[in-house]
């Protein structure tokens, strides 16, 4: 393990842990979640705490905030600005939150109160800690919104969280975190749900604030690209223990521990891409002449009815997918990616254009005929926990499509469930367990099994790996590839992760504001893009190598300057 060296010009730590142990008393046994952790974060420094789900990252950060449940037994020290918060009375701890230590949570919509204005939520902590009241608090709140890059802050401060985009909501959460000038900020997966360009903006913001305020940041993430972009030092956790620490260059470029090596090997990478204008294309591969088209969209227009007025979400988009092919759709939030998937599934009517599955135009079919066509489709949703019925055992979750479409007897359904569990590398014994008894990666495998129940001709995957750890993501992507080779279904793959699309897809459509900006083979579009917007997306995608990431960040800055006319 590397020796921790203080950052130049610092006196004392912003946050430190000394031999921290956290043990949970559960119904059946004790769970040792954190085992003797020692770690330091200095003012003006970003330390990334990485590891898979269940490694103890979030338990460590929650211990520093004094938010662990009553069944947690904590020993050792968690020092915030030199003050040990382990065992501190709740009233005293409450005074330290926001003023000494603050937290940026993963999902901004759960961190913000939907029934209070942004002004009320920003002024609340200022008033609670006696730092500002009334107009002075409002003026400070407007200043904070301006600091985190919200346009027209004086006007927008009166709005509610739902009136902001996902990236803007995360900026508001960051504004709340810095409102009382804390010594340390814990950022728990602050960019997980965001698309690449918004993620890059949030990382730029955190870097700028850290330098400006000299705040220490403990960054909890499973995204190694984010680590390379923002962190000064890295600490790797595995099963509650710290297995490796060092500078970001040491850990990402020359990992010593086998677990760190495994984590980094699991990260999908954009291959053969340069961001300085010298885009490298792959060799041309001959296209198979006998393509059997499964999905065809021609001049597709999709609209939402907004209380009598029409909002055009997808405008004049055309693409096709043949049997055995994967088409990736990429773009920022609001670009129309998921809207296309909804229309294919029949969850949104087609305003105009043609949308055909195996030659049958879905826009012209009667409901019964359209239902028969859609029986040939499988779907994998983004959040496996939300897409499985918690009251159904796994066997019933998998065979649900067979029940809905009245296929097979009870015995045949059970047999099919066992076959599919084997196909997704889960033991047959899982059939009688419930979703909450499985890990996130196992639940997503169950979702894949369910999508394949009726031998679909077309699989629709909407961000199927965005909520998963890197090693679990790698296993799930490998499985989708393996199953596609076996069953030869066509796949519409919606994602904001360009590296995943590069790894998995044969062709790609890049969308912006409902329009297809650029499309073609992955080797052309992602490795030799013609459009400025595609280059901007690629430059915003972080890579897990600090030196290369610094070059990409500078390239992105130059692209942004050109766009803004600087």
């Amino acid at each position: 393990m590397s020796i921790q060296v203080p950052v130049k010009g610092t006196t004392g730590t912003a946050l430190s842990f000394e031999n921290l142990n956290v043990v949970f008393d559960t119904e059946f046994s004790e769970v040792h979640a954190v085992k003797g952790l020692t770690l330091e974060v200095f003012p003006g420094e970003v330390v990334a705490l990485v590891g898979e789900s269940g490694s103890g990252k979030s338990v460590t950060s929650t211990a520093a905030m004094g938010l662990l449940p009553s069944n947690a037994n904590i020993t050792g020290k968690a020092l915030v600005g030199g003050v040990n918060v382990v065992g501190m009375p709740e009233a005293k701890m409450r005074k330290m939150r926001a003023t000494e230590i603050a937290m940026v949570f993963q999902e901004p919509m759960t961190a913000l109160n939907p029934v209070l204005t942004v002004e009320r939520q920003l002024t609340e902590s200022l008033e609670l800690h006696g730092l500002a009241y009334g107009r002075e608090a409002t003026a400070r709140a407007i200043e904070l919104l301006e600091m985190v890059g919200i346009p027209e802050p004086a006007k927008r401060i009166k709005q509610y969280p739902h009136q902001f985009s996902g990236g803007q909501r995360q900026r508001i959460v960051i504004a709340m975190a810095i409102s009382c000038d804390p010594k340390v900020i814990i950022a728990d997966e602050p960019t997980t749900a965001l698309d690449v360009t918004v993620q890059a903006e949030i990382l730029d913001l955190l870097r700028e604030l850290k330098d400006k305020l000299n705040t220490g940041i403990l960054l909890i993430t499973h995204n190694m690209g984010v680590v390379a972009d923002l962190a000064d030092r890295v600490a790797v956790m595995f099963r509650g223990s710290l297995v490796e620490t060092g500078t970001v260059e040491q850990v990402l470029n020359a990992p010593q521990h086998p677990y760190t090596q495994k984590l980094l090997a699991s990260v999908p990478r954009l291959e053969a891409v340069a961001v300085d204008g010298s885009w490298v294309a792959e060799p041309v591969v001959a296209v198979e002449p006998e393509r059997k088209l499964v999905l065809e969209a021609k001049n597709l227009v999709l609209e939402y009815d907004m209380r009598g007025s029409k909002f055009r979400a997808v405008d004049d988009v055309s693409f096709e997918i043949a049997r055995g092919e994967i088409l990736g759709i990429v773009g920022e939030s609001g670009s129309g990616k998921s809207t296309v998937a909804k229309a294919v599934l029949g969850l949104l009517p087609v305003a105009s254009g043609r949308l055909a599955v195996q030659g049958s135009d879905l826009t012209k079919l009667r409901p019964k005929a359209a239902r028969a066509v859609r029986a040939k489709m499988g779907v994998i949703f983004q959040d496996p926990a939300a897409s499985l019925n918690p009251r159904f055992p796994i066997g019933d979750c998998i065979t649900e499509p067979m029940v809905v479409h009245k296929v097979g007897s009870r015995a045949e359904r059970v047999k099919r469930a066992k076959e599919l569990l084997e196909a997704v590398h889960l033991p047959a014994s899982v059939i009688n367990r419930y979703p909450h008894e499985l890990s996130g990666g196992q639940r997503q495998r169950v979702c894949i099994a369910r999508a394949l129940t009726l031998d679909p001709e077309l699989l629709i995957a909407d961000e199927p790996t965005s909520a998963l750890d890197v090693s679990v993501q790698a296993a799930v992507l490998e499985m989708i590839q393996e199953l596609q080779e076996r069953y030869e279904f066509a796949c519409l793959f919606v994602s904001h992760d360009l590296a995943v699309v590069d790894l998995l897809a044969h062709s790609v459509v890049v969308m912006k504001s409902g329009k297809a900006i650029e499309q073609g083979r992955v080797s052309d579009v992602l490795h030799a893009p013609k459009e400025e917007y595609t280059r901007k997306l690629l430059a915003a995608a972080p890579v897990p190598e600090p030196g290369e990431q610094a070059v990409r960040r500078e390239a992105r800055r130059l692209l942004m300057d050109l766009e803004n006319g600087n």
Side-chain angles (χ1 to χ4, degrees):
M1 192 179 288
S2 307
I3 297 168
Q4 294 170 346
V5 181
V7 174
K8 285 180 184 175
T10 61
T11 54
T13 60
L15 173 68
S16 65
F17 301 96
E18 294 177 12
N19 196 30
L20 184 74
N21 284 274
V22 181
V23 179
F24 291 100
D25 292 326
T26 66
E27 189 180 347
F28 302 106
S29 64
E30 289 186 338
V31 176
H32 203 164
V34 178
K35 303 169 184 174
L37 180 132
T38 297
L39 183 67
E40 294 170 323
V41 182
F42 294 94
E45 180 191 34
V46 180
V47 175
L49 193 57
V50 302
E52 294 173 293
S53 298
S55 62
K57 308 187 302 293
S58 293
V59 173
T60 301
S61 66
T62 312
M65 292 292 293
L67 294 173
L68 286 172
S70 57
N71 69 327
N73 300 309
I74 315 162
T75 58
K77 293 180 180 178
L79 300 154
V80 177
V83 179
N84 186 17
V85 299
V86 172
M88 182 179 280
E90 176 57 28
K92 197 174 177 184
M93 187 70 230
R94 196 179 294 126
K95 288 180 181 176
M96 288 190 71
R97 291 187 198 121
T99 56
E100 300 291 321
I101 184 167
M103 196 157 187
V104 177
F105 293 96
Q106 181 171 352
E107 177 46 68
M109 266 315 257
T110 56
L112 294 170
N113 191 326
V115 298
L116 296 180
T117 62
V118 167
E119 178 184 18
R120 185 73 200 95
Q121 295 184 63
L122 280 167
T123 57
E124 189 175 28
S125 61
L126 293 168
E127 292 174 357
L128 187 69
H129 293 284
L131 297 173
Y133 298 94
R135 288 181 181 175
E136 191 186 342
T138 299
R140 171 66 175 153
I142 292 169
E143 185 189 330
L144 286 164
L145 285 189
E146 191 171 357
M147 201 184 287
V148 298
I150 299 288
E152 300 181 278
K155 179 182 172 185
R156 301 210 68 185
I157 200 165
K158 303 290 184 187
Q159 295 181 331
Y160 291 86
H162 73 271
Q163 294 173 288
F164 293 83
S165 70
Q168 287 175 328
R169 285 196 289 262
Q170 194 62 297
R171 286 169 182 266
I172 293 165
V173 171
I174 292 169
M176 288 168 69
I178 64 170
S179 61
C180 301
D181 296 324
K183 291 184 175 69
V184 64
I185 294 171
I186 296 172
D188 190 356
E189 301 278 11
T191 62
T192 295
L194 306 176
D195 54 58
V196 284
T197 48
V198 178
Q199 173 178 274
E201 288 166 10
I202 295 296
L203 295 177
D204 286 346
L205 173 63
L206 285 170
R207 188 182 300 104
E208 185 186 314
L209 292 172
K210 177 255 302 187
D211 293 339
K212 192 174 181 180
L213 306 173
N214 200 35
T215 305
I217 296 178
L218 180 64
L219 174 70
I220 296 170
T221 184
H222 63 245
N223 188 325
M224 292 300 181
V226 168
V227 172
D229 194 39
L230 191 62
D232 299 303
R233 288 191 296 118
V234 184
V236 184
M237 285 191 80
F238 177 57
R239 293 182 181 172
S241 299
L242 208 57
V243 295
E244 185 168 358
T245 64
T247 65
V248 67
E249 288 84 7
Q250 287 170 346
V251 175
L252 296 192
N253 293 346
Q256 300 300 306
H257 196 275
Y259 176 70
T260 314
Q261 292 166 357
K262 179 194 161 199
L263 267 185
L264 288 164
S266 301
V267 179
R269 299 169 191 244
L270 279 162
E271 298 297 341
V273 176
V275 288
D276 58 358
S278 57
W279 301 85
V280 184
E282 288 181 351
V284 175
V285 179
V287 180
E288 194 179 326
E290 291 297 317
R291 291 173 77 230
K292 295 177 182 174
L293 285 187
V294 175
L295 178 65
E296 185 185 6
K298 200 163 187 182
N299 308 119
L300 186 66
V301 175
L302 303 172
E303 294 177 335
Y304 287 104
D305 195 340
M306 309 283 282
R307 295 182 179 177
S309 65
K310 299 284 186 184
F311 169 70
R312 185 162 288 193
V314 173
D315 188 13
D316 195 28
V317 171
S318 300
F319 60 83
E320 56 184 41
I321 317 174
R323 185 175 171 82
E325 290 179 359
I326 298 177
L327 172 73
I329 299 187
V330 300
E332 296 170 293
S333 296
S335 62
K337 307 187 302 290
S338 294
T339 304
V340 171
K342 283 179 187 173
V344 177
L345 289 166
L347 302 175
L348 189 69
V350 174
S352 69
R354 173 179 163 85
L355 186 61
V357 175
Q358 290 189 314
S360 301
D361 192 340
L362 296 175
T363 62
K364 295 175 182 175
L365 293 178
R366 293 181 181 275
K368 191 175 179 182
R371 182 170 168 162
V373 169
R374 289 197 174 95
K376 297 172 185 173
M377 298 181 198
V379 60
I380 309 169
F381 295 101
Q382 182 170 353
D383 185 354
S387 60
L388 294 173
N389 191 325
R391 292 176 292 182
F392 278 16
I394 296 303
D396 289 358
C397 289
I398 291 172
T399 57
E400 192 178 7
M402 297 180 81
V403 175
V404 169
H405 291 282
K406 300 179 175 62
V407 175
S409 63
R410 172 71 186 161
E412 286 169 335
R413 290 170 190 165
V414 170
K415 184 185 174 189
R416 179 65 174 153
K418 287 180 178 176
E419 282 173 6
L420 288 165
L421 283 172
E422 188 185 336
V424 297
H425 308 304
L426 285 174
S429 59
V430 166
I431 202 165
N432 294 316
R433 290 166 72 182
Y434 286 83
H436 73 271
E437 296 179 273
L438 304 182
S439 69
Q442 288 173 324
R443 283 197 291 259
Q444 195 61 296
R445 287 170 187 237
V446 170
C447 291
I448 294 169
R450 180 180 60 183
L452 299 175
T453 303
L454 296 174
D455 287 325
E457 297 288 338
L458 175 65
L459 184 71
I460 294 159
D462 189 0
E463 302 275 14
T465 60
S466 66
L468 304 177
D469 292 321
V470 282
S471 58
V472 178
Q473 172 180 273
V476 168
L477 292 173
E478 196 177 309
M479 185 173 303
I480 291 173
Q481 280 181 314
E482 180 191 312
L483 292 169
Q484 201 225 13
E485 284 170 16
R486 189 193 300 184
Y487 295 107
E488 290 192 319
F489 48 76
C491 180
L492 180 68
F493 192 91
V494 177
S495 181
H496 66 246
D497 192 328
L498 300 176
V500 167
V501 171
D502 187 32
L503 174 76
L504 204 63
H506 303 98
S507 52
V508 63
V509 177
V510 180
M511 292 191 68
K512 180 189 179 186
S513 305
K515 292 185 178 289
I517 297 295
E518 189 167 0
Q519 62 191 101
R521 291 175 308 169
V522 164
S523 56
D524 295 331
V525 176
L526 295 188
H527 298 189
K530 295 181 176 65
E531 296 296 324
E532 204 68 28
Y533 177 71
T534 312
R535 292 190 182 195
K536 183 181 156 192
L537 276 184
L538 287 160
V543 293
E545 201 288 302
E548 187 185 339
Q549 180 53 31
V551 172
R552 294 173 72 89
R553 187 164 66 239
E554 180 60 21
R556 177 177 169 271
R557 189 187 65 75
L558 291 170
L559 282 169
M560 298 292 284
D561 286 348
L562 282 170
E563 193 177 287
N564 297 328
N566 295 339

